[in-house]
Structures are given as structure tokens and as C-alpha cells.
Amino acid sequence: MKKQFLEIGKIVNTHGIRGDLKIQPWCDSPDFLAEFETLYLADQTPVTLTAARVHKGNVLVHLKGVDTVEQAETMKNQIVYMNRDDVELEDGAFFLQDVIGLPVYDERVQREIGVIKEINDGPAGDLYIIREGKLTHMIPSAFVVNADVDGGRVTVRTIEGLLADEN
């Protein structure tokens, strides 16, 4: 079952004297986070963004009702969430959270090579961490052929030497 609310960032600090907050984005880009009008706290309480702008890889936001540094201080270290209904994905796009736990089929070796345990953000793109028993395969996103979230399977096409048991 897909989660309705997905982690999108973390409030890491305050900014200025008017209660602005600095959010470290956990999404594809800070610009994506800055587009939202409403985000959610861990208890699904909505918070309205009255201003948002990208600054040095983070997003500076002003939340309705948070107008002092003291109020902003109480929000530090909180995770912020987005509602998946607030986003319309392009064809073929998916939320990374939705593929974690899915089985992975490799077209080259023609078998299932495990289950996605996590996805790490690497310098050359996402790195899929796939567990197969005691083996851990690390597959760069460039090798993902298809992610069928509704069908419950990710398909990759690896090259020789990429799988943990081929080294």
C-alpha cells in the first residue's frame, strides 16, 4: 500500500528574525519542494507556506502563523511531508518510496535478483540497494529499465560484473 504522505525534507534551522525556516530537501530538487503551498508535519497537521525560495541547496520558507524566531525554533529538526495527491507525476515517473520493498528482475541474467531495501542519492544518480539473501547488489539508476509500481516489480538490465555474486 502506498503511503499518502511522503517525507520531503527536514527543518534544519531558522533563518532571519521573522520566523523563516531552512528546510533541507529530500527530493529530486529544492525547486520541487519550493513549489508546494502546503506541507505536513509528522502528525499530518498541514502548514501553509506563504513564501518559499531556494537558497544554497536548501529551501527557505515562511509558514503562516510562524512569525518569530522563537516560534520557528520550536519547529527545528521536524520532518516535513508532502501529500502525494498534491503532485501529478509525468508518465513513467514514480516516487522512490513506492519501489522500496519491490522485487527486482534482471533481464540479462533472466531471474529475480532480490528486493530493493533502500535507494541512496549518489553523485551520478540514485543507487538502488538490492538484497538477495546474504548478497547486496548496488545497481545505479541508469540500469533501471522499468519500474512498474502498480505491477509490483522493478526491471533492470545489468552488465557483467555488476552483481555481487559475479565478482
Side-chain angles (χ1 to χ4, degrees):
M1 178 178 216
K2 296 177 187 174
K3 291 181 182 178
Q4 186 65 34
F5 295 92
L6 304 173
E7 295 178 353
I8 195 169
K10 180 179 181 180
I11 300 171
V12 293
N13 211 343
T14 61
H15 183 83
I17 59 171
R18 295 183 302 187
D20 291 350
L21 296 161
K22 179 194 238 181
I23 299 177
Q24 177 186 46
W26 293 351
C27 49
D28 286 348
S29 75
D31 294 309
F32 178 76
L33 191 151
E35 292 176 10
F36 285 87
E37 295 177 7
T38 304
L39 293 175
Y40 299 84
L41 302 177
D43 61 0
Q44 298 177 2
T45 300
V47 290
T48 303
L49 283 67
T50 58
R53 68 182 173 94
V54 176
H55 179 71
K56 297 182 180 177
N58 292 299
V59 180
L60 302 179
V61 300
H62 189 84
L63 302 180
K64 184 177 182 179
V66 180
D67 298 310
T68 67
V69 174
E70 293 76 19
Q71 289 173 315
E73 280 285 336
T74 66
M75 301 194 74
K76 277 174 61 171
N77 297 315
Q78 288 195 52
I79 306 301
V80 289
Y81 298 79
M82 56 162 271
N83 184 336
R84 75 169 50 246
D85 292 341
D86 293 342
V87 177
E88 189 169 324
L89 295 176
E90 296 176 18
D91 282 347
F94 56 91
F95 293 114
L96 295 179
Q97 181 69 44
D98 291 341
V99 299
I100 294 175
L102 292 184
V104 179
Y105 179 82
D106 187 343
E107 290 181 340
R108 181 180 63 87
V109 296
Q110 299 184 355
R111 67 174 176 86
E112 194 172 290
I113 59 167
V115 173
I116 298 173
K117 290 299 178 185
E118 62 183 288
I119 301 172
N120 295 331
D121 185 24
D126 293 328
L127 188 63
Y128 288 65
I129 309 302
I130 300 164
R131 264 294 158 71
E132 180 182 22
K134 293 183 179 181
L135 294 175
T136 300
H137 307 295
M138 294 184 274
I139 310 292
S141 59
F143 294 93
V144 175
V145 175
N146 183 41
D148 184 0
V149 176
D150 293 330
R153 183 166 100 167
V154 173
T155 303
V156 299
R157 185 179 304 122
T158 62
I159 58 174
E160 192 170 337
L162 191 58
L163 298 179
D165 54 353
E166 293 180 320
N167 297 322

